[in-house]
């Protein structure tokens, strides 16, 4: 069979596009675009896209593999348990998907899943235990199944081929020769399909349930024995079992028994914790609801929520309910609390699907305002007369929004962190060292003609020493203590491994509303407009005269009453409450006076002499807010008026396009920008009188017909205030050298203002707004610094304190174009971008992925479902909400403030440094013990049972546990912590410590043999009147005493050396438990070496030298070892290598510096793209709109074509008079500009006589992004190009050239924002000293 060719759709930032799936292509599979050619995909183009391969069983392979399983005593089967895909490779053969009996799936994280393909037939139905199937079997005997046929239709089928993976079911579609997810109804149906639904019959419901399954989000709580079995087969416990077996055979009974006890306790705790987590998740997601379903015959049936299927029509009760499925509303309105998904407790009004859009394709994201999502709570319904509130079920079970969330929790993305990868590599290196020791041991014992049993057991014992079985447990110590400290600070961590990753964070993305700023808004005032002019701002809406502006504020909203409490959008609430009016939702009998069906009524507070009834206003029809049109509107009727009125409010840019030009003030944009630059939320309002329209026609009018020729009314101003600690936290992050970025759905000017206010952007730092379409990118100065700010900036720069940082701001639509069409521009955005506004949830997630692709370690802090995708995608997701959507984030903070961000980073750094130190400690401990055993093997002995027990169970365990109790340092420093185990510094540290350890042990080993009292091991056994077979004296000798006496101190010294303090952890002296442990073992070890009692000497098998002086010498060797270890780690490693050399020599570093990442991005940028217009892949074109080109005082010149060359002339009033001069359009890293070439020096002086170039008042924002008028430098300052922006330096004196030496002077009409070398390259001249003027 010819398989259809699917091309992978990249989720990357390189701008490469893949053709749509299902298209046959004949390209080379070696190119990036087609490297997956010939492979199949399921969920193509979606977030959970996976590669799929078909396999079927091979008889020959199966027989051979079964023989291998027996030959390896079942070890091969154990490998299959750990890696199921290995069994597929060894027992199955690749085949086309239509013949497959098993499938292998790989996701974007290279995780693999193996699923068995089943063919469901009528026999499968008979085997089903469902009571419904048994009762109604005869109804479906001929065609027991149905399969999707597209457009919401289903066709009967005798059988269906399916497989299940990650709680999703896939079916074989013969039409496209591939597997497709069984999701539900939706993206291929039009709206008319849902509006025409009348309910399902019983037979259809049964067949659909067989296809879609039960409507339940079931989280299995596994049996204790099943969990125990799975955990016991973990590689860690398998290696423990192997080690314990070797130790028992070798006679280490006490030590082996202790390990068995500890492992059993660890297993029991793991099983208990796993079951507790499964129960908690099950209880959290399990909903039991009884619902009413409308059948095709018009009857209403009460059923359990688990029996719902896509296509059922459910009736929403008036008192509300909890939704157990995703359903599209087709009749009536619902007030819904979606806090479980979005984190916002504000009730949302859901309206039915609009029949006017019946021909549009139904998209869940686009139609979200009409969908009741699973897990949300319907508070109440609103309906007309006796009409039922109905909704069509579109998705059930794990395919619902809530189910997808639970799936993301059950099957999380793997934690891909360099430190963890390196631990596995390092364990491999230790295994290689153990192999060398194994060869040494075997060769030595064979040379001595020892029995084979002794050779095998002692050699295997070396492996258990060199590869520490306690390593995985030890690595969690720092994480456990950090998690406890975070919990005490009300920060809850769902994924403990993420704590270490958070320590590497160097870029933090913040949502704005509810994260940096308060959730609510404050009413600031109204700016009325009348006769094409703005009036003075009104501070109180309650004092306004009744008129269209006041009526817009009182009626143009979606507020409702829930339990007599006014509820709705916070903006609407603030606006309405500011008027002092009241809202009522009358009973049906009260609506006759409006001739309407149950309108919402608003009225002012009753005043003496007023007729309350005549002052009422009824809201006849509401057009809800839509993010696509960015506005909402209503039709209202006043009792005293015979006509209907239409009121509209929304984004100023959108409202402007709907209004009559004569009603819009000429300074509209000037006013708008003045407010947005202050951080105000600006809402524009407009209205018109509809005249005497009949009521029936009102409900048939289309929105687009109403929204024309409106009268502009003015602006509503609201304040969005920063949270009290926002600025302080941003300042602390900035001081620590961490980059902060704002990612918001709000207006770009408002976002820039908030960014300045909170410190993400400095008050005097330049911000450029970037806009892009598929063909070009443009940069525009935001012009939001006051003249005072600019004067202050000039003074600071003149005083030698330049801040040349340039920030870029971009809106979501432009970011998408940059991501897709401008790969070089994307690098610049990721490097300099600080404000990403008007970002959709998908765009937020893509931005996080782009940052990650460039090497940043990204944290995302948000408060709602809008940030859910970004929270999951980031290395460190921090949610400020306790909603179910927030469960996808590793961290949750319950106090709703970003002050948790530095706390998490501090604890992450402390945990990472602790894990780093613990790993080095455990590795050195293993190698230290390994060296001890190798040396003792030379004289035919080893460490005794109690010696192993003391070292491993007491010293190692107690030091490792208390090691991680050191708290995090009080502040975040600029230097990031180490994150690479295989870098030069940690490898050098381990090697040098190992050299010190070996030297100390060798000195003790050799020194004891030089003593006059020394006798060899054979003589010792004779002296004790025993033999080698006597286990109580098997290992006693002077070498054992000397090596053991020195090594027990070495384990303490290594712990002290690796227990790092500032700047990531507090001083180790503050860790009282650790220091007490160190002191205790130091005292006890001195006692063991100098004054061991007979009882201790017998059980530890110590053969104590008779001379006390030699015992003291061993203490002295240990003391020298301590001094050397501390000097090496704290002076040579930390101070010289890490702090000094590491800042200058890149290959020495074991940390990831933010500067290194940014330098790598700059290095990857193509310099030709910025400097050579003709080869630029996205050539920034210069365009001057007529209103700018003709504006007096700005530039009086004809429109300039980007390809214009020298000789085109123009005149400029700000250059000292109307003088013609040649112009040249150029492009730089910040967009387009004009180069003006003056033949006269006088003109150059005239250019400097005007310190600022003002924008004309009638320039629109769209025009602003095309031309970039920036500040010209004062004449007394020289300008130097630094990075990408120009800055002022020290005053310079200028010499007047003689007239004979005059040469053309090139002056930028905008602030230079590119390197002067680039400018010179564009002009075709040599690169001079970097001045604005080139002579």
């Amino acid at each position: 069979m010819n398989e259809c060719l699917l091309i992978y759709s990249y989720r990357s930032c390189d701008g490469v596009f893949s053709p749509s799936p299902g298209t046959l292509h004949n390209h080379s599979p070696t190119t990036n675009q087609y490297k997956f050619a010939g492979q199949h995909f399921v969920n193509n183009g979606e977030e959970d896209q996976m590669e799929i391969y078909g396999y079927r069983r091979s008889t020959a392979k199966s027989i051979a593999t079964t023989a291998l399983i027996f030959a390896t005593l079942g070890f091969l089967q154990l490998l299959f348990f750990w890696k199921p895909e290995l069994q597929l490779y060894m027992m199955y053969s690749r085949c086309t998907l239509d013949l497959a009996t098993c499938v292998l799936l790989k996701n974007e994280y290279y995780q693999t899943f193996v699923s068995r393909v089943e063919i469901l037939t009528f026999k499968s139905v008979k085997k089903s235990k469902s009571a419904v199937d048994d009762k109604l079997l005869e109804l479906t005997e001929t065609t027991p199944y149905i399969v999707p046929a597209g457009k919401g239709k289903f066709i009967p089928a005798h059988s269906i081929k399916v497989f299940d993976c990650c709680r999703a079911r896939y079916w074989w579609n013969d039409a496209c020769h591939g597997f497709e997810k069984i999701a539900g109804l939706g993206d291929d149906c039009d709206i008319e399909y849902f509006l025409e639904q009348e309910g399902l019959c019983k037979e259809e419901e049964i067949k659909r349930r067989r296809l879609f399954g039960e409507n339940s989000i079931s989280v299995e709580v596994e049996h204790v024995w099943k969990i125990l079995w799975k955990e016991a087969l973990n590689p860690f416990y398998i290696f423990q079992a192997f080690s314990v077996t070797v130790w028992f055979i070798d006679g280490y009974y006490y030590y082996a028994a202790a390990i068995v006890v500890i492992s059993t306790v660890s297993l029991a705790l793991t099983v208990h914790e796993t079951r507790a987590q499964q129960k908690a998740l099950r209880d959290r997601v399990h909903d039991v609801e009884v619902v009413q379903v409308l059948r095709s015959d018009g009857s209403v049936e009460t059923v359990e929520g688990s029996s719902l299927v896509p296509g059922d029509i459910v009736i929403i009760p008036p008192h509300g309910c909890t939704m157990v499925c995703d359903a599209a509303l087709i009749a009536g309105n619902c007030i819904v609390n979606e806090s479980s998904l979005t984190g916002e407790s504000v009730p949302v009004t859901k309206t039915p699907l609009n029949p006017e859009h019946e021909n549009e394709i139904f998209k869940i994201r686009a139609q979200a305002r009409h969908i009741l999502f699973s897990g949300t709570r319907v508070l109440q319904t609103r309906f007309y007369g006796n009409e039922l509130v109905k909704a069509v079920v579109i998705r059930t079970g794990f395919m619902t929004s809530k189910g997808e969330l639970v799936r993301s929790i059950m099957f999380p993305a793997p934690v891909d962190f360099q430190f963890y990868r390196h631990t596995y590599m390092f364990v491999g290196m230790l295994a290689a060292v153990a192999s060398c020791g194994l060869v040494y041991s075997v060769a030595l014992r064979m040379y001595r003609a020892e029995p084979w049993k002794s050779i095998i057991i002692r050699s295997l014992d070396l492996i258990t020493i060199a590869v520490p079985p306690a390593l995985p447990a030890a690595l969690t110590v720092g994480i456990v203590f950090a998690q406890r400290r975070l919990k005490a600070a009300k920060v809850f961590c769902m994924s403990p491994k993420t704590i270490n990753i958070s320590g590497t964070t160097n870029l933090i993305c913040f949502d704005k509303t509810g994260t940096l700023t308060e959730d609510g808004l404050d009413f600031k005032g109204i700016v009325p407009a009348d006769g094409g002019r703005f009036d003075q701002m009104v501070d109180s809406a309650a004092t306004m005269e009744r008129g269209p502006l006041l009526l817009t504020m009182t009626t143009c909203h979606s507020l409702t009453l829930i339990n007599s409490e006014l509820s709705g959008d916070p903006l609407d609430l603030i606006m309405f409450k500011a008027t002092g009016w009241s809202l009522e939702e009358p009973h049906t009998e009260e609506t006759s006076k409006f001739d309407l069906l149950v309108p919402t009524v608003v009225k002012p507070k009753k005043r003496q002499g007023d007729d309350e009834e005549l002052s009422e206003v009824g809201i006849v029809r509401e057009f809800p807010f839509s993010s696509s049109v960015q506005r909402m509107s209503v039709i209202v009727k006043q009792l005293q008026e015979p006509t209907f009125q239409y009121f509209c409010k929304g984004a100023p840019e959108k409202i402007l396009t709907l209004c009559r030009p004569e009603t819009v003030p000429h300074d509209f944009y000037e006013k708008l920008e003045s407010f947005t630059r202050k951080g105000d939320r600006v809402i524009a309002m407009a209205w018109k009188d509809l005249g005497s329209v009949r009521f029936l026609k009102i409900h048939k009018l289309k929105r687009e017909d109403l929204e024309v020729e409106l009268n502009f009314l003015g602006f509503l101003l609201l304040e969005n205030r920063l949270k009290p600690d926002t600025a302080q936290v941003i300042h602390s992050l900035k001081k620590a050298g961490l980059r902060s970025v704002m990612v918001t759905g709000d207006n770009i000017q408002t976002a820039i203002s908030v960014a300045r206010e909170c410190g993400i952007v400095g008050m005097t730092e330049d911000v450029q707004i970037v806009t892009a379409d598929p063909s070009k990118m443009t940069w525009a100065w935001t012009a939001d610094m006051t003249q005072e700010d600019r004067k202050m900036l000039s003074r600071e720069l003149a005083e030698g304190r330049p801040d040349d940082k340039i920030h870029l701001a971009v809106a979501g639509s432009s970011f998408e174009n940059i991501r897709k069409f401008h790969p070089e521009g994307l690098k610049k955005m990721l490097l300099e971008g600080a404000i990403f506004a008007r970002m959709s949830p998908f765009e937020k997630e893509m931005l996080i992925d782009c940052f990650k692709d460039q090497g940043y370690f990204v944290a995302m802090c948000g408060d709602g479902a809008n940030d859910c995708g970004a929270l999951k995608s980031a290395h460190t997701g921090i949610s400020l909400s306790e909603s179910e959507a927030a469960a996808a984030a590793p961290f949750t903070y319950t106090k709703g403030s970003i002050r948790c961000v530095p706390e998490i980073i501090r604890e992450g750094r402390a945990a990472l440094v602790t894990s780093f130190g613990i790993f080095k400690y455990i590795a050195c401990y293993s190698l230290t013990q390994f060296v001890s055993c190798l040396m003792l093997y030379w004289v035919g002995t080893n460490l005794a049972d109690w010696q192993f027990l003391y070292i491993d169970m007491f010293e190692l365990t107690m030091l490792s546990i208390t090691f991680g109790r050191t708290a995090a340092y009080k502040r975040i420093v600029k230097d990031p912590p180490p994150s690479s185990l295989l870098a030069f510094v940690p490898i050098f540290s381990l090697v040098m410590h190992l050299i010190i350890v070996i030297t100390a042990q060798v000195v003790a080993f050799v020194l004891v043999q030089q003593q006059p009292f020394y006798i060899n091991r054979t003589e010792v056994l004779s002296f004790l009147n025993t033999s080698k077979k006597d286990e109580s004296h098997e290992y006693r000798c002077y070498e054992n005493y000397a090596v053991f006496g020195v090594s027990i101190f070495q384990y303490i010294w290594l712990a002290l050396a690796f227990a790092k303090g500032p700047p990531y952890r507090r001083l180790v002296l503050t860790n009282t438990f650790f220091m007490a442990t160190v002191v205790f073992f130091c005292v006890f070890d001195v006692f063991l070496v100098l004054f061991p009692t007979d009882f201790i000497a017998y059980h530890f098998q110590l053969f104590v030298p008779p001379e006390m002086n030699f015992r003291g010498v061993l203490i002295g060797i240990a003391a020298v070892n301590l001094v050397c270890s501390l000097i090496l780690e704290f002076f040579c490693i930390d101070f010289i290598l890490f702090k000094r050399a590491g800042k200058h020599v890149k290959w020495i570093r074991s940390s990831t510096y933010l500067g290194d990442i940014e330098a790598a991005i700059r290095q990857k940028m193509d310099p030709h793209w910025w400097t050579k217009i003709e080869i630029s892949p996205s050539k920034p074109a210069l365009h001057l709109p007529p209103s700018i080109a003709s504006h007096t005082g700005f530039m009086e010149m004809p429109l300039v074509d980007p390809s214009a060359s020298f000789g085109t002339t123009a005149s400029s009033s700000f250059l000292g008079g109307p003088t013609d001069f040649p112009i040249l359009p150029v492009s730089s890293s910040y967009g387009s500009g004009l180069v003006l070439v003056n033949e006269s020096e006088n003109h150059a002086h005239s250019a400097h006589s005007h310190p600022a170039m003002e924008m004309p008042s009638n320039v629109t924002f769209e025009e602003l992004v095309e031309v970039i008028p920036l500040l010209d430098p004062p004449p007394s300052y020289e300008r130097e190009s630094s990075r990408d922006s120009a800055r002022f330096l020290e005053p310079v004196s200028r010499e007047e050239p003689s007239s004979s030496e005059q040469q053309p002077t090139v002056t930028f009409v905008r602030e230079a924002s590119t390197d002067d070398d680039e400018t010179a390259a564009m002009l075709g001249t040599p690169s001079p000293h970097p001045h604005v003027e080139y002579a």
Side-chain angles (χ1 to χ4, degrees), residues 1098-1299:
Y1098 174 79
H1099 285 89
F1100 277 77
Q1101 296 195 32
L1102 297 177
F1103 195 65
V1104 184
E1107 293 185 8
M1108 184 62 70
N1109 289 340
F1110 180 76
R1111 303 182 200 178
V1113 168
L1114 293 183
I1115 300 296
I1117 293 173
V1120 172
N1121 189 336
L1122 170 64
V1123 174
C1124 292
S1125 295
L1126 295 182
I1127 291 175
L1128 169 67
E1129 191 66 26
F1130 291 102
F1131 180 74
C1132 299
I1133 303 295
D1134 286 352
F1135 182 73
I1136 295 179
L1137 287 180
F1138 188 75
K1139 290 184 179 179
R1140 297 294 182 183
K1143 289 185 178 181
H1144 306 288
V1145 184
K1146 195 172 181 179
W1147 59 269
I1148 289 181
R1149 300 175 191 168
S1150 58
S1151 306
T1152 304
Y1153 281 77
L1154 180 63
D1156 292 341
I1157 297 172
E1158 294 180 341
I1161 297 175
R1162 288 193 186 92
Q1163 197 171 13
K1164 287 187 289 186
M1165 291 170 67
D1166 181 8
H1168 299 292
W1169 191 83
W1170 303 101
T1171 59
K1172 296 183 179 180
I1173 301 176
E1174 61 273 14
I1175 64 170
S1176 170
S1178 54
K1179 179 177 175 180
L1182 181 66
H1183 171 65
L1184 290 172
S1187 61
I1188 295 181
S1190 62
H1191 192 278
T1192 304
F1194 179 65
M1195 187 175 287
E1196 297 174 354
M1197 57 188 298
L1199 291 182
V1200 181
D1201 186 87
S1203 61
S1205 58
F1206 287 104
T1208 305
T1209 60
S1211 61
S1212 173
S1213 60
F1214 66 85
L1215 286 175
T1219 305
D1220 293 340
F1221 53 89
I1223 61 172
L1224 175 67
V1226 297
S1227 155
S1228 75
S1229 59
Y1230 289 102
S1232 310
L1234 282 179
V1235 176
L1236 311 179
V1237 182
N1238 263 326
E1239 300 287 346
S1240 168
E1241 182 66 22
N1242 293 330
H1243 292 164
H1245 280 292
S1246 300
H1248 285 300
S1249 64
H1250 295 270
M1253 190 161 56
E1254 300 293 334
M1255 282 295 293
S1257 59
N1258 65 335
V1259 175
T1260 66
F1261 178 80
E1262 285 77 8
E1263 294 168 337
L1264 176 65
V1265 300
E1266 299 289 351
V1267 175
I1268 313 166
L1270 294 180
L1271 187 64
D1272 210 36
S1276 59
Y1277 295 107
E1278 180 182 357
R1279 301 186 66 177
E1280 175 186 348
S1281 178
S1282 173
R1283 278 176 54 194
D1284 293 306
S1285 67
R1287 61 179 181 177
F1288 302 120
L1289 292 179
E1290 54 189 357
V1292 297
S1293 60
R1294 301 184 182 274
E1295 296 183 1
E1296 293 288 339
S1298 63
S1299 57

Side-chain angles (χ1 to χ4, degrees), residues 528-547:
D530 186 23
R533 300 185 62 174
F534 281 113
D535 296 334
Q536 291 294 320
M537 186 172 75
V538 179
D539 296 328
S540 173
T543 61
M544 292 174 60
E545 294 293 328
R546 180 171 178 140

Side-chain angles (χ1 to χ4, degrees), residues 509-684:
C509 297
F510 292 99
D511 180 35
K512 185 180 77 69
T513 307
T515 303
L516 297 175
T517 62
E518 299 286 357
D519 280 318
L521 298 166
D522 295 322
F523 178 80
K524 185 174 183 178
I526 307 126
V527 183
D530 186 23
R533 300 185 62 174
F534 281 113
D535 296 334
Q536 291 294 320
M537 186 172 75
V538 179
D539 296 328
S540 173
T543 61
M544 292 174 60
E545 294 293 328
R546 180 171 178 140
L549 183 56
L550 182 62
L551 291 178
T552 303
M553 296 177 63
T554 57
T555 61
C556 195
H557 52 72
S558 56
L559 300 178
T560 188
L561 290 173
I562 300 176
N563 299 325
S564 302
E565 286 287 329
L566 203 59
S567 299
D569 187 273
L571 187 149
D572 290 343
L573 275 171
I574 293 164
M575 178 184 70
F576 184 77
K577 287 181 177 180
T579 64
W581 284 41
S582 60
L583 180 142
E584 294 179 358
E585 292 178 340
H587 300 291
T588 307
E589 59 271 13
E590 296 177 329
T591 63
S592 57
K593 55 192 175 186
F594 291 98
D595 297 322
L596 307 176
L597 297 175
V598 198
T600 297
V601 176
V602 295
K603 57 186 179 182
K605 289 182 179 179
K606 188 176 181 181
R607 299 177 184 175
Q608 190 171 3
D610 288 351
D611 188 332
E612 183 178 354
E613 187 169 297
L614 290 177
S615 62
E616 293 180 356
V617 181
I619 303 174
V620 179
R621 188 179 176 192
E622 177 187 323
F623 297 93
F625 175 82
S626 169
S627 57
S628 59
V629 297
Q630 297 183 7
R631 59 184 177 272
M632 78 159 295
S633 52
V634 292
I635 299 175
V636 306
K637 186 176 185 298
Q638 304 179 59
L639 277 184
Q640 73 274 23
E641 297 290 339
T643 60
F644 292 92
Q645 287 88 35
Y646 181 78
F647 298 112
C648 182
K649 80 173 195 305
E653 298 90 344
K654 297 294 182 181
I655 298 297
L656 175 68
T657 62
L658 310 177
C659 294
R660 295 159 53 212
E662 61 269 22
T663 66
V664 180
H666 70 280
D667 56 347
F668 177 91
Y669 275 103
E670 186 178 337
K671 280 283 187 184
L672 174 61
E673 290 188 10
S674 70
F675 294 131
T676 56
R677 283 200 297 268
K678 297 173 185 174
D680 295 335
R681 181 80 177 272
V682 183
I683 305 297

Side-chain angles (χ1 to χ4, degrees), residues 745-890:
D746 210 339
N747 175 276
I748 193 167
Q749 291 287 358
T750 303
I752 291 171
S753 175
V754 173
R756 289 199 187 279
E757 189 178 354
C758 71
I760 290 178
V761 174
M763 294 302 293
T764 57
E765 291 176 349
D766 189 18
V767 177
Q768 303 276 345
I769 295 179
V770 182
T771 58
D773 58 30
S775 62
K776 70 175 186 294
M777 291 175 62
T778 54
W779 272 254
W781 174 45
T782 56
D784 58 354
M785 277 194 276
T786 63
Q787 286 291 73
E788 289 74 17
D789 289 335
R790 292 192 173 279
K791 289 177 182 177
M792 181 179 69
L793 175 61
S794 298
R795 286 196 302 271
E796 289 182 355
L797 296 171
E799 292 168 6
R801 291 182 282 115
D803 190 352
D804 66 344
K805 180 69 176 176
I806 285 188
H807 302 276
L808 303 181
V810 67
S813 56
S814 292
F815 172 74
E816 272 297 281
N817 286 325
I818 294 171
R819 187 176 70 87
K820 293 176 180 178
F821 303 108
H822 306 283
E824 291 299 317
L826 178 66
K827 294 170 189 172
K828 192 68 176 176
M829 282 303 311
L830 298 177
L831 192 63
E832 305 287 355
I835 297 136
F836 297 83
R838 295 297 189 200
M839 299 285 282
S840 68
F842 175 75
E843 288 163 351
K844 289 182 181 182
E845 186 176 355
M846 288 298 98
L847 174 65
I848 298 295
D849 287 340
C850 290
F851 276 128
K852 288 167 62 179
D853 290 343
Q854 294 299 329
Y856 289 99
F857 287 92
V858 188
M860 173 69 197
C861 185
D863 70 329
N866 287 340
D867 310 311
C868 184
L871 291 173
K872 287 192 294 182
S873 181
H875 291 105
T876 305
I878 307 168
S879 172
L880 304 184
S881 165
E882 296 184 79
S883 66
E884 289 181 0

Side-chain angles (χ1 to χ4, degrees), residues 37 83 132 152 224 286 292 548 583 647 699 716 826 836 881 1060 1084 1247 1310:
K83 293 284 187 181
V132 175
V224 171
H286 185 63
Q292 288 185 312
L583 180 142
F647 298 112
H699 281 272
L716 168 67
L826 178 66
F836 297 83
S881 165
K1060 301 295 179 66
F1084 189 77
R1310 42 162 292 189

Side-chain angles (χ1 to χ4, degrees), residues 22 115 833 877:
S115 297

Side-chain angles (χ1 to χ4, degrees), residues 158-177:
H158 294 284
S159 64
I160 178 174
K161 186 188 294 185
V162 300
F163 72 85
D164 297 309
C165 180
C166 299
R167 293 293 195 276
R169 172 164 285 190
Y170 299 83
W171 72 286
W172 175 258
N173 187 346
D174 278 321
C176 71
H177 291 283

